[in-house]
Every structure is written in structure tokens, then in C-alpha cells.
Amino acid sequence: MQIGEVIRKYRKKKDMTQEEMAVSLGVTTPAVNKWENGGSLR
């Protein structure tokens, strides 16, 4: 399982949108999207 799949799995398990997750982590929504789709984790 890739890291993006793990992030998506646990985000959905918590019933959160990418936007809600981004706010809780203090990052942008596109950052969460990029993580889930295999983009840079930096």
C-alpha cells in the first residue's frame, strides 16, 4: 500500500473531506490531494 492510499483510507475512515483534513493539519487542500495522488510529500 502506498502512503497516499493510507492517507486516503484513514481520512475516509474519519469521514473527512480533503478540505477538512487540510484545515486540521494546517496545510492547503491541494497539498492533501497531491499526497493522496502520489505527489511530493514535502
Side-chain angles (χ1 to χ4, degrees):
M1 187 177 279
Q2 298 289 331
I3 188 70
E5 294 170 319
V6 174
I7 292 169
R8 179 179 286 122
K9 175 184 171 182
Y10 286 101
R11 175 180 62 80
K12 288 187 176 272
K13 188 175 181 179
K14 291 285 193 177
D15 197 30
M16 296 175 82
T17 65
Q18 286 183 343
E19 184 176 4
E20 290 168 335
M21 183 175 192
V23 168
S24 71
L25 295 173
V27 299
T28 64
T29 303
V32 174
N33 183 276
K34 196 183 330 182
W35 297 342
E36 289 187 359
N37 291 305
S40 174
L41 293 174
R42 295 180 186 196

